[in-house]
C-alpha cells in the first residue's frame, strides 16, 4: 500500500477522516496534529513551504539515476 495523506479531524472523542477511504485492518498510521491557523497564516505557510521545496529541488540540483541510489 502506498503512503498517502488524508485530511481528518478530532471530534472530541475520536479521529475521523474528512472523506471516506478504505483502510485495511491493522493499517499503520502516522498522525500529525496541526496547529490552528488563520487562512492568512495558511497562505504564508504554503508560500514558505513552496520556497523550501524550490530550494531543495531547484534547477541547480543534480539529476540522480536509480543506479546512484542503489548500493
Amino acid at each position: 500500500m502506498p503512503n498517502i495523506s488524508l485530511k481528518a479531524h478530532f471530534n472530541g472523542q475520536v479521529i475521523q477522516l474528512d472523506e471516506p477511504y478504505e483502510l485495511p485492518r491493522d493499517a499503520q498510521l502516522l498522525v500529525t496534529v496541526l496547529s490552528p491557523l488563520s487562512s492568512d497564516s495558511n497562505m504564508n505557510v504554503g508560500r514558505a513551504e513552496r520556497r523550501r521545496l524550490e530550494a531543495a529541488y531547484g534547477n541547480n540540483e543534480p539529476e540522480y539515476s536509480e543506479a546512484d541510489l542503489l548500493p
Side-chain angles (χ1 to χ4, degrees), residues 1 5 13 29-30 42 53 55 70:
M1 174 178 206
S5 294
Q13 294 183 340
L29 305 174
L30 175 64
N42 283 333
L53 283 172
L70 300 174

Side-chain angles (χ1 to χ4, degrees), residues 2-35:
N3 292 342
I4 182 170
S5 294
L6 303 169
K7 289 188 176 186
H9 64 278
F10 180 64
N11 71 3
Q13 294 183 340
V14 297
I15 296 171
Q16 294 182 324
L17 297 178
D18 290 345
E19 296 182 16
Y21 187 83
E22 188 73 30
L23 288 170
R25 183 179 176 91
D26 297 324
Q28 293 184 344
L29 305 174
L30 175 64
V31 177
T32 303
V33 178
L34 303 173
S35 62

Side-chain angles (χ1 to χ4, degrees), residues 37-53:
L37 297 172
S38 69
S39 60
D40 288 343
S41 295
N42 283 333
M43 287 178 47
N44 290 335
V45 168
R47 286 187 199 120
E49 289 172 350
R50 180 182 292 175
R51 283 194 299 271
R52 286 192 295 270
L53 283 172

Side-chain angles (χ1 to χ4, degrees), residues 63-71:
E63 292 294 325
Y64 296 104
S65 70
E66 248 183 78
D68 294 322
L69 303 176
L70 300 174

